[in-house]
Amino acid sequence: MKKKFRIKDNKEFQRVFKQGKSFANRQLVLYYLEKPEQKHFRVGLSVGTKIGNAVTRNRIKRYLRESFRSLKEQIKPTFDIIIIARQPTKSMGYFEIRSSLIHLLSREKLLKK
């Protein structure tokens, strides 16, 4: 994912956590904050150490990044989005994680119609 699509700074993460809205399913937690001046969405990923070792955590992050890349044209551009992985994601494959992400994004109306 290109640098302009990422949230890396802790202050930006905290702003989305405090000012944004959240929604969750069993696998993922979604935080989002609308920023009307923004030309494209940005994504922050968080996979805690309780999920597994570094290999497992990096695999989950790769699956999430690829899911966002494939959905790039469908996601509304004015949002900062943070995804936090929960325990069940460590045993999930790419398509399961992607469908879980689509469920969250569509439930919160972050996908274009």
Side-chain angles (χ1 to χ4, degrees):
M1 204 175 333
K2 291 183 180 177
K3 213 171 203 172
K4 65 181 180 178
F5 290 106
R6 290 186 283 183
I7 300 174
K8 296 289 274 182
D9 189 29
N10 187 38
K11 288 180 183 176
E12 293 174 338
F13 267 87
Q14 294 305 319
R15 184 181 309 125
V16 175
F17 288 142
K18 289 178 182 160
Q19 298 174 7
K21 297 178 183 171
S22 67
F23 185 73
N25 59 20
R26 298 184 96 180
Q27 300 86 13
L28 301 170
V29 181
L30 168 79
Y31 286 89
Y32 63 97
L33 177 65
E34 186 163 16
K35 297 176 86 179
E37 72 280 357
Q38 207 164 258
K39 292 186 169 119
H40 50 78
F41 71 91
R42 297 186 315 155
V43 176
L45 302 175
S46 176
V47 183
T49 55
K50 290 183 180 179
I51 302 291
N53 62 13
V55 174
T56 304
R57 294 192 311 269
N58 287 332
R59 179 178 47 82
I60 292 168
K61 286 188 273 190
R62 272 197 318 272
Y63 289 166
L64 286 168
R65 278 194 298 268
E66 178 59 25
S67 298
F68 273 105
R69 192 194 63 72
S70 69
L71 296 169
K72 182 170 50 176
E73 302 301 320
Q74 299 172 26
I75 298 174
K76 292 181 181 176
T78 58
F79 287 94
D80 278 354
I81 301 168
I82 294 178
I83 298 291
I84 301 172
R86 287 184 165 175
Q87 195 69 32
T89 55
K90 74 177 176 184
S91 61
M92 293 169 64
Y94 167 71
F95 292 105
E96 294 169 310
I97 288 177
R98 186 174 187 269
S99 68
S100 180
L101 180 63
I102 290 171
H103 170 255
L104 284 176
L105 293 172
S106 61
R107 174 104 160 92
E108 292 302 305
K109 297 178 177 57
L110 299 179
L111 294 177
K112 297 175 186 173
K113 292 183 180 182

